[in-house]
Structures are given as C-alpha cells and as structure tokens.
Amino acid sequence: MAVTDEAIEKIKDMIVSGALRPGDRLPKESELAADLGLSRNSLREAVRALSLIRILDVRQGDGTYVTSLDPQLLLEAMSFVVDFHRDDTVLEFLAVRRILEPAATAMAALKISEQQLDALSAQLDKLGAEPSVEELVACDLEFHRGIVQSSGNSVLCSLLDGLSGPTTRARIWRGLTQEDAVSRTLHEHRAILAALRDRDAEAARSWATVHIASVEQWLRSSL
C-alpha cells in the first residue's frame, strides 16, 4: 500500500471508530504523524486528498477539521465524477434513476405535506400549457427534486441530485425532436402529483417509473 493510501486509511479508521467526530479539530500535524507512525509528508498528502472529497476541512491559520459528514456534502464528490460521463453512458444513468426515483416518489407519498403539494401544483400552473423545452426541463428538475426531498431520505436525495445532470441533455433532445414530448411530460407530472395527493404510494411509484422510462425508451430508439 502506498504511504499516502496508508495515511488515508488510518485517518479514516479514526473517524469510523469515533476517535474523531464530525466537527472535531485534528491534532497538530507533528503530533498526529507521530501517533499514527506516519511521515509528515504522507500525512499532509492524505489530508489534502480527504479535503478534496469533503471529509476534512482545511482552514488556513486555524487547523484541519472533520466536516459535518453530511451525505449531501460527501456526495458532492460523486457529482464531480458524474460530470465526466460520456454520452454513451446516459442510458445507464437513466436506468439507475428508474430504480431509485420511483422508490423515492413512493416514500414521498406518505410524507409530503399539503403545503409542499400546493407548491408543486403552483409550479406546474406557472409553467402553463405550452412551455419552451428549456423551461420544461428546468421545471422537471425542480419538480422531481421537491418530491425526492419530501421522501425524508437525504442520502437518496443527494444521489438522485447527482444523477440528474447527465440526463438533462437527453431530456432537451427529446423535447426538441419528439412531437408530443412536452404534453406527455406535463400529463405525467400531473398524474404523479395526483397520486401524491391521494397518498397512493404505488400509483406514485408507477407514474414515476413511466415518466423516466419514456425518456429512456425514446433515447434507446434514437441511438
């Protein structure tokens, strides 16, 4: 194992074991290196690597701290990696969304508040019957983000937020090239919202599946 990898593993073990907790300040570099049996250079490289993936927060002139370890913060690294996707992997991203998002929508049916439902309805009303493709896709992102946030699962929300980017362009392509894409999307949004208002988790799950699968099916036939 490379010395930097070893240093990363040792710091990770301290966090996993509870020796270092969210918000804790790391001991001074010289002390921590001695305690872990590491060189100061390898420790420094490990801290730099862990700060890039938001495990550690290096504050100039103050020290190094363990972050909140909030799922949304940690999954930002996944979003960075996702940004480097190739066009031929978009179907794979859609397939993952088709697994996760209907489950989140079903969960939301049991937890979403009337106020949140009214906000989603107002969002669709504001969009109107003939929005531009760009307006529709922007609304689509916010509509689903609002539903997933209502599921109460922050990890699921962060995962889906990170996965939504690669499929945005596919949704725009579909809106520009498929004749009934806009009207179908609006209809599916209304159907999802109606199922959520009825607190019908299975209907909400089914409509979310149909919604994502229709984009996936179109893209598969277009490639």
Side-chain angles (χ1 to χ4, degrees):
M1 182 183 293
V3 289
T4 301
D5 291 340
E6 181 184 1
I8 289 172
E9 283 298 315
K10 289 187 174 182
I11 295 173
K12 186 183 82 171
D13 288 344
M14 291 180 70
I15 295 171
V16 172
S17 69
L20 285 172
R21 303 186 66 81
D24 283 355
R25 186 179 186 276
L26 269 64
K28 290 182 179 178
E29 184 181 273
S30 56
E31 295 174 8
L32 186 58
D35 288 345
L36 297 179
L38 301 167
S39 71
R40 292 178 68 171
N41 279 341
S42 62
L43 177 60
R44 201 170 294 131
E45 289 298 319
V47 167
R48 186 177 293 116
L50 290 170
S51 68
L52 288 173
I53 58 172
R54 312 304 293 273
I55 301 294
L56 299 178
D57 178 19
V58 179
R59 304 176 189 173
Q60 199 66 34
D62 185 21
T64 300
Y65 293 78
V66 180
T67 67
S68 65
L69 302 180
D70 180 78
Q72 188 166 3
L73 184 70
L74 299 181
L75 287 167
E76 282 181 9
M78 186 195 76
S79 298
F80 179 80
V81 174
V82 164
D83 285 340
F84 288 94
H85 78 282
R86 304 184 312 275
D87 285 345
D88 59 358
T89 63
V90 172
L91 278 170
E92 295 179 8
F93 284 108
L94 280 167
V96 175
R97 274 193 68 209
R98 182 160 45 84
I99 294 168
L100 297 179
E101 196 160 306
T105 305
M107 291 166 63
L110 305 177
K111 296 184 176 182
I112 194 166
S113 69
E114 289 297 324
Q115 185 179 7
Q116 289 168 315
L117 287 167
D118 289 343
L120 291 173
S121 182
Q123 187 181 35
L124 295 181
D125 290 342
K126 183 180 177 181
L127 192 63
E130 297 182 359
S132 69
V133 172
E134 290 77 8
E135 288 172 336
L136 180 64
V137 170
C139 178
D140 187 70
L141 290 169
E142 288 304 312
F143 182 79
H144 293 290
R145 183 179 288 119
I147 292 171
V148 173
Q149 286 174 343
S150 299
S151 73
N153 189 312
S154 60
V155 175
L156 191 54
C157 186
S158 297
L159 279 170
L160 284 166
D161 213 31
L163 290 169
S164 65
T167 63
T168 299
R169 186 161 55 172
R171 281 176 277 182
I172 291 175
W173 288 343
R174 182 195 180 207
L176 292 172
T177 60
Q178 190 176 34
E179 185 176 345
D180 62 344
V182 172
S183 60
R184 281 183 61 182
T185 299
L186 292 171
H187 171 69
E188 289 160 3
H189 279 179
R190 291 290 183 188
I192 292 169
L193 184 58
L196 292 173
R197 281 203 183 278
D198 290 342
R199 307 294 174 180
D200 189 334
E202 288 311 307
R205 185 198 306 273
S206 297
W207 275 112
T209 302
V210 166
H211 184 57
I212 299 165
S214 64
V215 180
E216 188 180 355
Q217 184 181 35
W218 166 82
L219 183 59
R220 196 179 299 278
S221 66
S222 301
L223 291 178

